[in-house]
Amino acid sequence: MGITAIIRAMRNAALALLLAVAPARAAFDDAGFGPRDLAMGGAFTAVHDDAAAVAYNPAGLGQVQALQAAGAYQRLFHVPGGVSDRDSTRAAGVIPTRGDLLNGAFGVQIRYDRRDMLSKDREIGFAYGSRGLRETEGGGLDFGAGLKFLGVAPERGSAPGLKPALDFGALWRTGGRYAVGASILNFGGAKFTGSGISDRAPLVFKVGAAEALRSATVAVDATVREPSGGNGKSVSFGAGFERWWATGRHGQVALRTGASLGDRARTWSWGGGWRVLGGQVDYAMSVPLTGVTRFGHAVAVTARFGRADPEGEYEKLLSEEMRYRRDLAQALEASALKQWKLTEEIARLREETDALRARLAASKVSQTEAQRELAAIEARQRKAARDYERLKAEREAAASKSKQSLFAEDWRVYEKAKLSGASDAALQEQLSRILREYKDDGVDLGEANRELRRLQISQ
């Protein structure tokens, strides 16, 4: 046996030993997607408004409102499965579908990890989550599933073939505020052998709950991982908090914090985010609570298409409504002024007719001349009467925009703003204005009152 063959055999043996002994070196540990979930302690199974759901619960994809594309990089030294040393690069996309047959969202994920600088994990995954599959009062039940192809290779060796695995998930939403999720990841027990590697993707079971409080989110998770790579099962618990603040002109900013407590690793994490128009940038730091102090870092960029600026769209809708009302008021005012002038002209023509008849009676004007003047006056009077009737009809048509009709216009603007993703604060302000304006006008405000109570409860 040559020297090269001996060195290769020793390297493969060392790699196999490391993979078998180190608890966090099992392939495809659930290290999360990016900085948002990392900062929230990995408590993301029931959070359902982000592309990161592809890494936790495919059922959460269905609630994503707009087309998303995200890329994330993580340098981690502690993951829920134990002490680690890995570079993780991920990319994901979510495509919502709204139809009778497919009402939900498709997700795609690409993952590339370098573990301990000795081996590489690769993943290509596809998933689908439903939206409103089973609707209930104020909530609903959704399901999701994903198919992914996993591969592990030595750092300097060739990659073995990709092995399939399945993900399954469920998400239950209630009251527009609470959500409970559960998922099974890596179902199928994908095994990897060859090139000195003997490993498998561990089966992972997750369950979590989340509460959305206006611009804040609170979430908790529990995770159980089956034995893998010669190691026993591991259990971890995560909890996280996120709060968004809107700025005047520069988008929104967020602060996050969370903790992941497991039997192999314990970490505290924090991070922040900034989103403006359709873009978002996030960062997180992971701080170990046990073992060697090596800080982990994560950064991500997300783009959302189709709803670039919900607040701006809301302001645009509101300004259009106010402009419409100004135009309506100006039209009514101009019409009233014209009617008043025509009324004066008709009265003046009547006076001229009476004066002409008086002159004719006093024989101060000839019969022929009087008839000619009277015909001219009557023609002017008929024209003024026609103009008056036309203006009256136009004014009545404009005035037919009753309070009920204007309320319907206002409610349409509100619904559009809500669907566009305007903040709860902006929606509550608009609802309060609507209720004040139509309070004593005999308009049915039941739906508006119920919507306002819902927003107040979610604060």
Side-chain angles (χ1 to χ4, degrees):
M1 181 181 296
I3 298 297
T4 303
I6 294 175
I7 294 175
R8 185 182 299 110
M10 292 175 63
R11 178 176 61 81
N12 291 341
L15 176 61
L17 180 62
L18 285 171
L19 290 172
V21 173
R25 287 174 179 166
F28 298 100
D29 272 320
D30 54 320
F33 180 85
R36 187 184 177 202
D37 48 293
L38 176 65
M40 294 178 68
F44 226 72
T45 305
V47 178
H48 48 270
D49 61 349
D50 197 287
V54 296
Y56 290 87
N57 183 0
L61 292 173
Q63 300 303 310
V64 175
Q65 297 289 332
L67 178 66
Q68 286 189 26
Y73 171 77
Q74 299 181 94
R75 183 74 173 96
L76 301 177
F77 301 98
H78 300 79
V79 297
V83 178
S84 181
D85 184 355
R86 68 176 61 214
D87 286 293
S88 179
T89 304
R90 286 195 172 196
V94 181
I95 305 173
T97 58
R98 299 293 181 260
D100 295 334
L101 183 61
L102 290 175
N103 185 27
F106 288 95
V108 60
Q109 175 186 198
I110 300 174
R111 172 179 175 179
Y112 177 78
D113 285 7
R114 296 179 62 199
R115 293 183 286 130
D116 305 286
M117 305 305 172
L118 296 174
S119 62
K120 299 173 288 190
D121 297 346
R122 293 183 176 88
E123 174 183 341
I124 300 175
F126 306 91
Y128 176 79
S130 67
R131 177 182 174 84
L133 185 63
R134 294 288 184 271
E135 284 295 332
T136 61
E137 182 67 26
L141 179 64
D142 289 294
F143 297 95
L147 170 64
K148 53 191 181 183
F149 299 92
L150 311 176
V152 178
E155 176 68 18
R156 298 177 181 271
S158 59
L162 297 176
K163 304 297 178 66
L166 298 173
D167 293 343
F168 301 99
L171 181 72
W172 178 50
R173 299 167 286 106
T174 177
R177 178 173 174 178
Y178 302 100
V180 177
S183 62
I184 298 175
L185 308 178
N186 302 329
F187 182 80
K191 298 180 180 180
F192 313 100
T193 57
S195 301
I197 292 177
S198 179
D199 207 349
R200 64 177 297 178
L203 185 68
V204 179
F205 174 72
K206 289 179 172 290
V207 61
E211 180 180 7
L213 300 166
R214 199 169 179 177
S215 297
T217 301
V218 180
V220 293
D221 262 30
T223 304
V224 178
R225 302 165 192 82
E226 73 165 351
S228 167
N231 305 294
K233 74 173 184 179
S234 66
V235 179
S236 64
F237 300 91
F241 173 80
E242 174 187 65
R243 177 71 162 88
W244 283 94
W245 290 270
T247 65
R249 298 182 179 178
H250 306 291
Q252 296 175 290
V253 294
L255 288 178
R256 309 179 182 103
T257 188
S260 176
L261 306 177
D263 49 9
R264 293 182 182 172
R266 300 180 181 182
T267 59
W268 167 71
S269 303
W270 68 272
W274 174 53
R275 63 188 178 199
V276 62
L277 299 178
Q280 180 173 325
V281 179
D282 296 290
Y283 169 79
M285 174 185 287
S286 174
V287 182
L289 300 178
T290 56
V292 180
T293 302
R294 300 183 71 182
F295 299 149
H297 303 274
V299 64
V301 176
T302 304
R304 293 177 174 84
F305 305 92
R307 48 180 295 189
D309 188 4
E311 299 293 340
E313 289 296 321
Y314 169 74
E315 294 296 335
K316 181 180 177 182
L317 289 168
L318 191 57
S319 65
E320 288 177 354
E321 178 202 11
M322 298 308 294
R323 185 173 64 252
Y324 163 76
R325 289 182 170 231
R326 285 195 303 269
D327 293 344
L328 178 60
Q330 290 172 1
L332 290 172
E333 184 179 353
S335 177
L337 180 60
K338 288 179 181 179
Q339 279 186 275
W340 174 73
K341 288 182 177 180
L342 283 171
T343 302
E344 283 194 335
E345 184 176 354
I346 291 171
R348 189 170 57 253
L349 289 171
R350 285 174 181 167
E351 290 176 359
E352 290 182 16
T353 303
D354 293 340
L356 179 60
R357 287 174 177 165
R359 289 165 59 197
L360 182 60
S363 299
K364 293 182 179 180
V365 64
S366 67
Q367 186 75 21
T368 303
E369 185 180 353
Q371 288 178 351
R372 185 171 60 251
E373 289 186 20
L374 185 59
I377 293 173
E378 288 177 346
R380 288 166 56 194
Q381 191 171 7
R382 285 194 298 271
K383 182 178 182 302
R386 286 196 302 270
D387 290 343
Y388 180 86
E389 292 298 327
R390 177 177 57 80
L391 284 173
K392 182 181 178 182
E394 290 177 357
R395 180 173 172 79
E396 288 176 352
S400 66
K401 288 285 187 179
S402 64
K403 284 292 185 180
Q404 186 64 48
S405 299
L406 289 174
F407 171 77
E409 293 273 352
D410 281 341
W411 190 253
R412 180 187 62 82
V413 171
Y414 173 81
E415 292 273 328
K416 227 172 179 182
K418 181 180 177 182
L419 291 174
S420 297
S423 68
D424 285 354
L427 294 175
Q428 188 169 342
E429 179 184 350
Q430 176 72 342
L431 277 175
S432 298
R433 184 191 66 79
I434 291 174
L435 291 170
R436 284 196 307 270
E437 183 166 349
Y438 300 100
K439 180 179 179 182
D440 300 317
D441 293 317
V443 177
D444 183 6
L445 299 175
E447 188 174 6
N449 278 307
R450 288 191 295 272
E451 182 71 6
L452 182 61
R453 284 196 296 273
R454 184 189 68 80
L455 291 174
Q456 290 172 340
I457 290 173
S458 66
Q459 291 181 3

